[in-house]
């Protein structure tokens, strides 16, 4: 029997998914080494509906990457001081330097989405954002930064299903907030805000790429494969390393075990 994905299509079989995911992740490591060797700067923006699969995709992207090269930026609510700054100011300090990759788990586009719909910004602030954002992003690209923007699209039915699963799962309950749940009743408001955002910020220098994410497995593979196709990387030969021979023992004796505190063997008490 073929398992159905969240959108009713045949779900990508797990062995196929895991095999291709590992292949793509191997290529991401090559991208990382190219970025480091060439001194490139790469920004990847993850936006979309709540529960659209942004976070889980970011986890797969970074799973085998060096956190000193690739880092995730997920900013909290702005402080009172930050609210008085130029809107883009707190994001600028997180932009990559040479040899770095920055993944924005939500970004400056908060102003065009949740802030716009929930009234956390004024209409004037929203309109100013729509005018300034294309200028800001053109400046980034002109300075040589590789900027990629992905919008994760999920249907209202699937979003509700995922919200319900989060409510019932104590390990994922923290992912839900009152604002997230209110997005169910403001579906069309968010749709209109997204359409307006695209109309102003889907620019040639930094276009939006939409990821259909009702099936999370397909979404992850499709997004990573597309990202790889847009980066002009090449494989950087790794340094030649060899394990040195282990030197002979010189008489070191380990202290008695009872002088140290050990973590109890919790695993020994688990049933077979």
């Amino acid at each position: 029997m073929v398992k159905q994905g969240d959108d009713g299509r045949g779900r990508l079989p797990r062995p196929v998914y895991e095999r291709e995911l590992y292949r793509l992740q191997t290529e991401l490591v090559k991208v990382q080494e190219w970025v480091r060797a060439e001194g490139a700067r790469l920004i990847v923006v993850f936006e979309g509906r709540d529960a659209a699969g942004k976070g889980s995709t970011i986890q797969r992207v970074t799973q085998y990457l060096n956190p000193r090269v690739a880092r995730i930026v997920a900013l909290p609510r702005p402080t009172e001081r930050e609210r008085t700054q130029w809107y883009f100011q707190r994001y600028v300090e997180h932009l990559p330097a040479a040899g770095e990759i920055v993944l924005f788990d939500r970004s400056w586009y908060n102003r065009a989405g949740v802030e716009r719909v929930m009234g956390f910004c004024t209409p004037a602030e929203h309109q100013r954002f729509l005018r300034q954002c294309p200028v800001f992003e053109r400046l980034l690209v002109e300075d040589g930064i590789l900027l990629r923007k992905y919008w994760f699209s999920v249907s209202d039915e699937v979003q509700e299903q995922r919200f319900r699963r989060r409510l019932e799962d104590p390990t994922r309950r923290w992912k839900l907030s009152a604002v997230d749940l209110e997005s169910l009743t403001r579906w069309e408001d968010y749709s209109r805000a997204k359409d307006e955002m695209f109309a102003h910020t889907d620019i040639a220098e930094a276009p939006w790429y939409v990821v259909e994410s009702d099936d999370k497995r397909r979404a992850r593979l499709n997004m990573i494969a597309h990202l790889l196709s847009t980066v002009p990387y090449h494989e950087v030969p790794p340094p030649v390393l060899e394990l040195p021979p282990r030197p002979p023992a010189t008489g070191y004796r380990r202290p008695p075990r009872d002088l140290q505190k050990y973590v109890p063997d919790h695993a020994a008490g688990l049933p077979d």
Side-chain angles (χ1 to χ4, degrees):
M1 180 178 178
V2 177
K3 290 186 177 181
Q4 297 296 307
D6 288 330
D7 61 356
R9 294 184 300 169
R11 193 177 185 187
L12 196 65
R14 181 171 290 277
V16 175
Y17 162 72
E18 292 183 345
R19 182 172 62 250
E20 178 62 7
L21 177 63
Y22 185 75
R23 187 190 72 81
L24 295 173
Q25 288 174 323
T26 302
E27 292 300 310
L28 285 171
V29 173
K30 296 178 184 178
V31 170
Q32 168 190 270
E33 294 308 297
W34 173 81
V35 165
R36 182 157 56 178
E38 297 293 329
R41 293 171 291 167
L42 173 61
I43 296 174
V44 186
V45 169
F46 292 79
E47 290 288 345
R49 300 274 189 176
D50 294 314
K54 300 179 296 297
S56 62
T57 302
I58 293 172
Q59 290 174 6
R60 272 62 176 190
V61 169
T62 59
Q63 185 172 357
Y64 297 109
L65 300 185
N66 184 343
R68 292 182 177 87
V69 176
R71 53 190 169 87
I72 302 169
V73 175
L75 299 184
R77 294 178 181 177
T79 64
E80 289 300 321
R81 180 176 182 275
E82 288 172 334
R83 288 191 180 96
T84 67
Q85 296 174 343
W86 176 47
Y87 177 72
F88 294 94
Q89 187 169 336
R90 73 182 190 130
Y91 295 99
V92 168
E93 64 179 291
H94 297 282
L95 298 179
E100 292 181 349
I101 301 170
V102 174
L103 310 175
F104 279 96
D105 185 357
R106 294 205 182 277
S107 64
W108 45 87
Y109 283 100
N110 276 337
R111 174 134 297 177
V114 63
E115 290 191 19
R116 167 73 175 87
V117 173
M118 300 301 296
F120 298 155
C121 68
T122 67
E125 289 172 332
H126 175 245
Q127 289 301 311
R128 187 183 309 127
F129 169 84
L130 294 179
R131 291 194 304 271
Q132 291 185 352
C133 184
V135 178
F136 173 67
E137 293 182 351
R138 287 188 179 104
L139 290 173
L140 298 181
V141 174
E142 181 182 342
D143 202 61
I145 292 177
L146 301 173
L147 176 59
R148 304 293 181 266
K149 304 185 309 194
Y150 292 95
W151 175 270
F152 284 71
S153 178
V154 65
S155 64
D156 51 356
E157 296 89 351
V158 171
Q159 184 190 57
E160 183 174 353
Q161 292 170 13
R162 292 176 182 172
F163 278 169
R164 291 188 185 280
R165 287 199 290 268
R166 289 181 181 182
L167 281 172
E168 297 166 359
D169 186 344
T171 66
R172 294 191 294 173
R173 178 62 181 79
W174 63 270
K175 292 186 175 183
L176 281 179
S177 68
V179 173
D180 296 332
L181 295 179
E182 192 164 350
S183 65
L184 288 174
T185 62
R186 294 176 177 260
W187 180 269
E188 292 190 358
D189 293 337
Y190 274 100
S191 295
R192 294 186 183 96
K194 176 255 185 181
D195 292 343
E196 186 176 10
M197 178 188 80
F198 267 46
H200 287 81
T201 63
D202 186 19
I203 58 177
E205 297 87 345
W208 278 106
Y209 296 102
V210 178
V211 182
E212 294 288 352
S213 61
D214 275 6
D215 182 341
K216 286 186 178 182
R217 292 179 187 173
R218 295 178 190 273
R220 294 164 188 160
L221 297 184
N222 293 341
M223 180 267 152
I224 297 173
H226 181 270
L227 175 63
L228 292 170
S229 74
T230 69
V231 178
Y233 72 101
H234 56 79
E235 187 168 1
V236 177
V240 178
L241 301 174
E242 293 184 2
L243 288 176
R246 186 178 296 277
T250 60
Y252 167 77
R253 290 179 177 274
R254 184 175 179 175
R257 293 176 63 88
D258 59 6
L259 295 181
Q260 298 174 341
K261 296 180 178 62
Y262 284 81
V263 173
D265 191 356
H266 170 79
L270 299 177
D272 295 334

